[in-house]
């Protein structure tokens, strides 16, 4: 019996489901590859051949039941975070609203009389029972069911086929379609994301030689895989950036199918334009470096300026995640009096507006106001003067920014708000660099509470600061990685 006919017989007794489609497709492909050809043309009239062709072409990797299947035993678990659940509920409500708005169709005229029920014809099994005579061959016992739901009866495979199939299943068990790697930038965040996705971090060596050069080595097979590298370019910026570039190069040379970099904090983002003569646009230069290394996609959190997405070419899509959605859940549970969202500069008004809209949509803060501080810098890292636009008297204020570096601007903004009559002042920022005296300034400031995300690894000094609260961005990043891998919408997470 040919390999295709053997596969057709196996397919007839195999229950096709979302979990074994890739297994059936791979079996069909192997069957087709061993099919004999007559004069260079296969037997197209062979029903078994057509059945195998349909299985090989149609039974591909699929997404069902909250699991993205790329290979058998290589599934990535849906983290089911609040962002994903909220997006699903919003889509269901939108669909329900659309269905309710559709006009009801008039019933079709009844032109046929009801037909009396005809008794169903008994099946073949009920017509004539099979009787084994004394001269018939003895009926063999059916083999015991295998604990593996995808395993096939041993009578359907030769010992050689069973050995090859076992080796194939073992290889697939240890290699899924998604691989997650991390540099030394923020290992804690990477482990948290891997735990939410239900996968292990890939085995790799990222270290330095005695002379300071970066050493990168991948210790597992990534050929044909979708690889995600989690590496913020936070201090030490140049070391982390070089680690990221070399990891991308290493994975591309190892024949990875697609390389996506997850950059929770994008270094050099503040140098996004020429403010004076003879200065570089470093944010664009970093984008060119990543693109030249062969990056296929970039995931970032709260880029300093949205135009950084345009520094990458059209073949490298950039997903700029809004870290404010994490802070919305934190401040939404607080009892604030006359809340006002404050932007510390003119460029952050849009960010403050989105933060206000999120609070209004999710927690009903429709009466929240917006204010803005206009600052004049004497030089980089130093503010000369601040002027407030808006009314904050007898209000609880939330200063929303993308990052806190030395905290000089933030603390001075808090002083201005308190001087204008604010009751309490809170602060939220996605990236807490806290360079130099930043942590000490926040501890001695007029801020009631300063909330940051863990896009940058924490330190014992930060943990000792009672005014500093660190939230995790891992659920948002894990849900985003899963949605990209499962080809789902990302914008739905922020509606």
């Amino acid at each position: 019996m040919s390999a295709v006919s053997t596969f057709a017989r196996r397919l007839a007794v195999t229950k096709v489901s979302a979990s074994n489609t890739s297994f059936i497709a791979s079996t069909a492909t192997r069957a087709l590859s061993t099919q004999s050809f007559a004069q260079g043309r296969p037997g197209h009239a062979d029903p078994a051949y057509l059945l195998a062709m349909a299985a090989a072409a149609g039974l591909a990797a699929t997404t069902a039941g909250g699991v993205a299947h790329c290979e058998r035993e290589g599934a990535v678990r849906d983290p089911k975070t609040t962002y994903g659940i909220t997006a699903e509920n919003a889509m269901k409500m939108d669909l329900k609203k659309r269905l309710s708005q559709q006009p009801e169709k008039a019933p079709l005229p009844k032109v046929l009389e009801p037909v009396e029920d005809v008794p169903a014809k008994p099946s073949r099994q009920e017509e004539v029972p099979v009787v084994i005579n004394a001269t018939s061959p003895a009926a063999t016992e059916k083999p015991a069911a295998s604990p593996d739901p995808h395993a096939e009866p041993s009578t359907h495979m030769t010992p050689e086929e069973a050995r090859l199939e076992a080796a194939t299943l073992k290889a697939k068990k240890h290699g899924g379609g998604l691989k997650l790697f991390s540099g030394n930038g923020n290992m804690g965040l990477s482990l948290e994301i891997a735990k939410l996705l239900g996968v292990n971090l890939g085995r790799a060596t990222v270290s330095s030689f005695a002379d300071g050069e970066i050493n990168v080595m991948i210790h597992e097979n990534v050929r044909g895989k979708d690889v995600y590298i989690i590496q913020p370019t936070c201090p030490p910026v140049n070391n982390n950036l070089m680690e990221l570039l070399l990891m991308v190069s290493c994975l591309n040379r190892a024949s990875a199918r697609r390389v996506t970099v997850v950059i929770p904090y994008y270094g050099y983002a503040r140098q996004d334009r020429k403010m004076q003569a003879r200065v570089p646009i470093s944010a664009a230069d970093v984008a060119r470096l990543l693109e030249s290394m062969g990056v296929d996609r970039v995931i970032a959190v709260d880029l300093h300026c949205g135009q950084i997405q345009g520094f990458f070419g059209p073949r490298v899509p950039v997903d700029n995640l809004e870290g404010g959605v994490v802070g919305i859940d934190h401040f939404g549970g607080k009892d604030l009096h006359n809340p006002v969202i404050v932007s510390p500069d003119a460029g952050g008004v849009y960010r403050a507006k989105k933060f206000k809209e999120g609070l209004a949509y999710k927690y009903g803060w429709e009466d929240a106001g917006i204010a803005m501080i206009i600052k004049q810098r004497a030089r980089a890292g130093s503010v000369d003067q601040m002027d407030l636009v808006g009314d904050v008297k007898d209000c609880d204020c939330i200063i929303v920014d993308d990052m806190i570096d030395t905290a000089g601007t933030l603390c001075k903004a808090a002083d201005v708000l308190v001087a204008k009559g604010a009751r309490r002042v809170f602060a939220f920022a996605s990236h807490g660099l806290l360079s130099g005296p930043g942590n000490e300034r926040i501890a001695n400031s007029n801020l009631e509470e300063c909330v940051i995300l863990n896009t940058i690894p924490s330190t014992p000094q930060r943990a000792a600061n009672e005014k500093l609260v660190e939230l995790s961005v891992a659920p948002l990043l894990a849900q985003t990685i899963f949605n990209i891998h499962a080809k789902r919408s990302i914008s739905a997470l922020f509606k």
Side-chain angles (χ1 to χ4, degrees), residues 266 287 300 303 305-314 316-321:
Y266 188 96
L303 292 172
C305 292
Q307 63 262 28
I308 294 177
Q309 301 173 74
F311 293 157
F312 293 86
V316 182
V318 180
D319 298 305
N320 184 22
L321 308 183

Side-chain angles (χ1 to χ4, degrees), residues 389-446:
V389 178
D391 185 18
V392 297
K393 188 176 182 179
D394 195 31
C395 298
D396 288 336
C397 301
I398 304 175
I399 303 175
V400 178
D401 205 353
D402 63 318
M403 70 173 67
I404 303 173
D405 191 0
T406 60
T409 301
L410 180 65
C411 295
K412 194 165 186 178
D415 295 338
V416 171
L417 293 174
V418 171
K420 296 293 183 178
R423 294 175 72 250
R424 293 183 297 175
V425 180
F426 300 85
F428 171 79
S430 298
H431 315 294
L433 293 169
L434 303 184
S435 306
N439 188 53
E440 185 179 353
R441 285 177 176 175
I442 290 176
N444 300 327
S445 67
N446 286 320

Side-chain angles (χ1 to χ4, degrees), residues 322-342:
E322 300 173 8
V325 298
V326 184
I328 286 172
D329 295 330
H330 176 79
F331 287 101
K334 291 182 176 292
D335 184 17
L336 302 184
H337 176 73
N338 295 335
V340 175
I341 313 301
V342 181

Side-chain angles (χ1 to χ4, degrees), residues 264-302:
Y265 172 73
Y266 188 96
Y268 290 100
R270 285 174 285 184
Q271 303 179 43
D272 58 343
R273 59 192 183 278
K274 291 187 68 173
M275 298 297 294
Q276 57 188 9
R278 298 178 296 280
V279 295
I281 305 177
S282 304
D285 297 333
V286 171
R288 287 175 176 269
L289 285 172
L290 289 170
E291 192 170 3
S292 64
M293 285 293 103
V295 168
D296 295 294
R297 193 181 194 98
V298 176
I299 302 173
V301 178
D302 262 342

